Amino acid sequence: MTYTEEGRAMSIASCMTDVPHPGVFIAEELEARDWLQRDLAYILGVPEQTVNMIVSGKRGISPEMAKALGDAFDVAPAFFSNLQNAYEMSKARAPDPAVARRALLQSIFPVREMIKRAWLEDTDVPLLEAQLMRFFRRNDLTAITHMAHASKKSGDYATDTPAQLAAQLAWLFRVRQICSEMITPAYSEARLRQAIAEFPRYMVDPEEVRHVPRILNDCGVRFAIVETFPKAKIDGVCFWEDHQTPVVGMSTRFDRIDNFWFVLRHELEHVLNKDGRGKSDEDVSVDTDLQSDNAHHLPPEEVRANAAAADFCVPTEELNSFFLRKAPYIGEKDVLGFARRIQRHPGIVVGQLQRLMERPEYLARLKVKVRQFVAQSAVVDGWGVPAPVQL
């Protein structure tokens, strides 16, 4: 045979505008060898009609036939497979140009999930791109960057994948989109500090978390709960709208009473310290995992917020004293009595003890769910129901 290299067929075919059927090459080879079609049929052990239909271009070359032809002509079977693939590709219709554009958008943003959650309307690509620019407040999709914020999330931000970063970015801007439409009084740091001092009265009964959104609103803090993306693993965020109105977003990814109060207090500490305020959108501050033991790797503002949140959930001196007196055998009765004395729900105490003891399974059943209660008064987006905001 004239062509023996495996890739030669694809090379030839790629140079042709109108790629011929593989039967053309077989006919040429038969002529070069002075074989008849019935000779090839005899060699292959198939009816002469089978060879005729391939040579005439009425039938393609199957993988089995490619192997047989390879043995007959002493070439690699891939030669004929490549000829067939090149022919079929040349006859295939060109795809809709929107396919490549949608693929590009999905590679940058979690578009499909955003449409599923009604953050975007499912429409043609130009309008979809316009929606994305409006969502991210940019006139150029290539100019979208993280806005200034301080947030609590799991994992090491430096090792996040592009998909995780895109999911986090979309979540952050959804919080911003929702909270930008809220009407609140001017922010008052004094009122917020007073509210935080009064929060413990709501930390005994899980249902009392329903008061949190109203209290924060009275302080001038915009608050929303937005379901996170599976890849984002983000729990909370604090940023400033127009550098003067604090925004706190939570995902309640871990729907537990201890996590709710810890994350909330952590973000409010960012508010009190004005973390993220006055930064440009390109100057990003993202928290690492607050539940980890690698506190020495955290920036100072995160260490400060973690300490404030932990002491808020269970006063540090009280917790240490209780632990020294009762460890290593701390029973449920002990925990219930301690929680009653310091006026906290037992689940909040358990959350702090679990970290202190490094036993995440310890009395975990006491850590009750609270999302259903806070959702009664908060603006909530997710879990099948989008927030009522203008797209």
Side-chain angles (χ1 to χ4, degrees), residues 314 316-327 329-339 341 349 353 356-357 362:
V314 180
T316 305
E317 290 187 7
E318 294 273 11
L319 180 65
N320 291 338
S321 175
F322 172 75
F323 186 77
L324 289 174
R325 286 186 290 108
K326 298 293 184 178
Y329 305 109
I330 306 177
E332 180 175 344
K333 184 177 179 180
D334 296 323
V335 173
L336 295 177
F338 177 59
R341 182 171 64 82
V349 174
L353 284 174
L356 189 61
M357 301 163 64
Y362 175 73

Side-chain angles (χ1 to χ4, degrees), residues 168-187:
Q168 293 162 12
L169 183 63
W171 184 88
L172 288 170
F173 272 85
R174 181 58 172 179
V175 173
R176 184 176 189 176
Q177 182 185 50
I178 293 171
C179 292
S180 66
E181 296 189 9
M182 293 181 179
I183 299 176
T184 57
Y187 167 61

Side-chain angles (χ1 to χ4, degrees), residues 113-174:
E113 187 67 23
M114 294 172 74
I115 292 174
K116 177 183 176 182
R117 299 188 182 191
W119 297 6
L120 303 172
E121 292 182 357
D122 191 4
T123 182
D124 56 45
V125 174
L127 291 178
L128 185 60
E129 292 174 339
Q131 288 184 76
L132 283 168
M133 287 187 284
R134 186 164 61 248
F135 182 88
F136 289 108
R137 302 186 180 187
R138 289 291 187 276
N139 293 323
D140 182 358
L141 291 179
T142 64
I144 296 173
T145 58
H146 271 283
M147 58 195 229
H149 65 280
S151 67
K152 173 194 180 301
K153 76 172 195 64
S154 298
D156 180 4
Y157 186 75
T159 62
D160 283 343
T161 65
Q164 288 174 318
L165 294 177
Q168 293 162 12
L169 183 63
W171 184 88
L172 288 170
F173 272 85
R174 181 58 172 179

Side-chain angles (χ1 to χ4, degrees), residues 76-376:
F79 176 82
F80 293 100
S81 296
N82 290 338
L83 287 176
Q84 185 65 39
N85 290 337
Y87 174 76
E88 292 177 355
M89 288 295 292
S90 71
K91 297 302 180 183
R93 291 182 301 174
D96 184 346
V99 172
R101 294 174 68 183
R102 283 197 296 267
L104 178 60
L105 291 177
Q106 183 63 38
S107 68
I108 303 174
F109 312 107
V111 175
R112 182 190 60 79
E113 187 67 23
M114 294 172 74
I115 292 174
K116 177 183 176 182
R117 299 188 182 191
W119 297 6
L120 303 172
E121 292 182 357
D122 191 4
T123 182
D124 56 45
V125 174
L127 291 178
L128 185 60
E129 292 174 339
Q131 288 184 76
L132 283 168
M133 287 187 284
R134 186 164 61 248
F135 182 88
F136 289 108
R137 302 186 180 187
R138 289 291 187 276
N139 293 323
D140 182 358
L141 291 179
T142 64
I144 296 173
T145 58
H146 271 283
M147 58 195 229
H149 65 280
S151 67
K152 173 194 180 301
K153 76 172 195 64
S154 298
D156 180 4
Y157 186 75
T159 62
D160 283 343
T161 65
Q164 288 174 318
L165 294 177
Q168 293 162 12
L169 183 63
W171 184 88
L172 288 170
F173 272 85
R174 181 58 172 179
V175 173
R176 184 176 189 176
Q177 182 185 50
I178 293 171
C179 292
S180 66
E181 296 189 9
M182 293 181 179
I183 299 176
T184 57
Y187 167 61
S188 169
E189 181 179 329
R191 286 202 299 270
L192 179 59
R193 290 188 181 277
Q194 181 180 353
I196 292 175
E198 295 177 355
F199 271 152
R201 62 190 286 195
Y202 304 108
M203 297 172 69
V204 178
D205 186 345
E207 294 188 21
E208 293 299 282
V209 298
R210 70 183 188 277
H211 297 293
V212 169
R214 173 186 56 78
I215 294 172
L216 293 178
N217 183 82
D218 292 343
C219 298
V221 177
R222 298 178 182 179
F223 176 78
I225 295 177
V226 178
E227 181 185 6
T228 187
F229 294 100
K231 295 179 181 179
K233 297 182 180 179
I234 196 165
D235 295 320
V237 65
C238 162
F239 60 90
W240 296 77
E241 188 73 15
D242 299 326
H243 306 295
Q244 58 184 359
T245 302
V247 174
V248 170
M250 291 176 60
S251 70
T252 61
R253 182 168 65 97
F254 297 113
D255 184 10
R256 305 186 306 251
I257 189 170
D258 64 311
N259 187 261
F260 173 83
W261 285 110
F262 189 94
V263 174
L264 177 66
R265 183 62 183 87
H266 180 97
E267 303 308 334
L268 292 180
E269 185 67 15
H270 282 312
V271 174
L272 294 175
N273 291 306
K274 301 179 178 60
D275 294 334
R277 182 178 181 180
K279 296 182 179 180
S280 67
D281 283 356
E282 289 74 21
D283 189 5
V284 181
S285 173
V286 180
D287 291 349
T288 52
D289 187 0
L290 303 187
Q291 305 292 335
S292 72
D293 296 325
N294 300 321
H296 56 285
H297 293 309
L298 297 177
E301 62 268 23
E302 300 306 328
V303 175
R304 182 171 57 239
N306 272 351
D311 188 69
F312 170 77
C313 288
V314 180
T316 305
E317 290 187 7
E318 294 273 11
L319 180 65
N320 291 338
S321 175
F322 172 75
F323 186 77
L324 289 174
R325 286 186 290 108
K326 298 293 184 178
Y329 305 109
I330 306 177
E332 180 175 344
K333 184 177 179 180
D334 296 323
V335 173
L336 295 177
F338 177 59
R340 188 163 48 249
R341 182 171 64 82
I342 66 171
Q343 292 296 290
R344 296 292 192 276
H345 186 276
I348 300 175
V349 174
V350 167
Q352 293 302 301
L353 284 174
Q354 285 177 341
R355 280 199 275 175
L356 189 61
M357 301 163 64
E358 298 183 358
R359 292 180 55 190
E361 79 290 347
Y362 175 73
L363 295 178
R365 59 186 175 78
L366 296 180
K367 299 163 69 171
V368 299
K369 299 180 182 297
V370 296
R371 184 194 300 139
Q372 59 180 321
F373 303 122
V374 72
Q376 296 175 11

